[in-house]
Amino acid sequence: MLKLTFHKECQVGRSFGLPDTSVKESKERVRTAIKNCGINLFSRKYVINLSPANLKKEGSLFDISIAVGILQSMGKILDNSFKDTIFIGELSLDGKINPINGVLPICIEAIKFGIKKVILPKENATEAAVVKDIEVIGISNLTELICYLNNEIKIPREIVDIRKMFEKKLYNKMDFNEVKGQDGVKRALEIAVAGRT
């Protein structure tokens, strides 16, 4: 599990820990998103340590974690009891929280590390709620996230009825148009359904 450490007023503002391009670009996304939410970062620089350093970091899913750490160090987020919570999601420049790929395996792995709550993009909340034993909170934008963490608004946890979800998919939309390739398998199924086993 990655651990973020924040240091205020350092001379160098950069990300450590073998980041790829999208992680390096996150500093601009986070800075602009915070500014567009009406929060002034002044000319202060932040060093963000994504540890462990030997693990390669990929993707834009660290944006919310980085933003929360910066906002907390500025005193804009008062609550600091995030011990059993993870934040995942990409920030757009206007502060909107964009969905990411791979939420389901992230949540499954998070449980192994004792994580009890995940805060992520609203569009990913249903997928994450499939995992039992983890509280899922879907957030639309950075302002909403700040208000939620400061207990100014309440956001109910996402709850999914897996059985109903699969029944709805199976009976309403599922057909062979969703299967790419596999012509032999599709033909065998059509023959089996027609009664010629």
Side-chain angles (χ1 to χ4, degrees):
M1 189 60 77
L2 290 169
K3 184 170 68 179
L4 300 176
T5 342
F6 299 91
H7 305 281
K8 281 179 17 179
E9 304 209 41
C10 295
Q11 291 184 343
V12 181
R14 60 183 180 181
S15 301
F16 296 98
L18 301 173
D20 74 349
T21 306
S22 60
V23 176
K24 288 178 183 175
E25 291 170 352
S26 71
K27 67 180 179 181
E28 294 304 323
R29 283 194 304 273
V30 170
R31 180 185 294 128
T32 306
I34 291 173
K35 183 180 175 185
N36 287 332
C37 288
I39 298 170
N40 194 344
L41 287 173
F42 305 104
S43 59
R44 194 174 287 162
K45 291 186 179 180
Y46 295 85
V47 173
I48 299 161
N49 181 16
L50 300 173
S51 62
N54 62 342
L55 184 67
K56 184 157 176 65
K57 286 75 174 183
E58 297 177 344
S60 54
L61 61 114
F62 303 109
D63 289 1
I64 297 177
S65 299
I66 293 168
V68 167
I70 291 170
L71 291 167
Q72 190 179 15
S73 70
M74 293 173 65
K76 299 296 182 182
I77 294 175
L78 306 175
D79 188 5
N80 59 1
S81 56
F82 305 137
K83 183 181 177 187
D84 300 328
T85 304
I86 59 171
F87 300 87
I88 50 177
E90 176 188 313
L91 277 170
S92 64
L93 298 178
D94 62 355
K96 183 179 180 290
I97 298 175
N98 298 324
I100 59 161
N101 295 325
V103 166
L104 187 60
I106 291 171
C107 291
I108 292 168
E109 193 67 21
I111 291 173
K112 296 176 185 175
F113 287 92
I115 300 298
K116 295 183 173 47
K117 186 177 192 178
V118 59
I119 297 175
L120 44 62
K122 188 81 172 160
E123 289 88 344
N124 292 123
T126 304
E127 180 185 353
V130 171
V131 180
K132 292 180 181 178
D133 304 324
I134 195 163
E135 182 182 354
V136 176
I137 304 294
I139 302 288
S140 301
N141 56 59
L142 190 56
T143 304
E144 185 180 50
L145 177 61
I146 295 166
C147 292
Y148 172 75
L149 294 176
N150 287 332
N151 294 315
E152 295 169 11
I153 61 170
K154 299 286 182 196
I155 299 174
R157 70 183 290 174
E158 188 78 19
I159 298 172
V160 173
D161 186 338
I162 301 171
R163 196 169 135 208
K164 280 186 181 176
M165 187 172 74
F166 279 108
E167 281 177 5
K168 186 178 177 184
K169 264 199 162 182
L170 284 172
Y171 294 123
N172 290 345
K173 296 182 179 177
M174 198 168 180
D175 62 27
F176 284 144
N177 290 334
E178 295 181 13
V179 179
K180 303 296 180 203
Q182 306 296 331
D183 294 325
V185 175
K186 288 194 282 190
R187 178 74 177 139
L189 287 171
E190 287 170 358
I191 292 168
V193 169
R196 296 182 63 193
T197 57

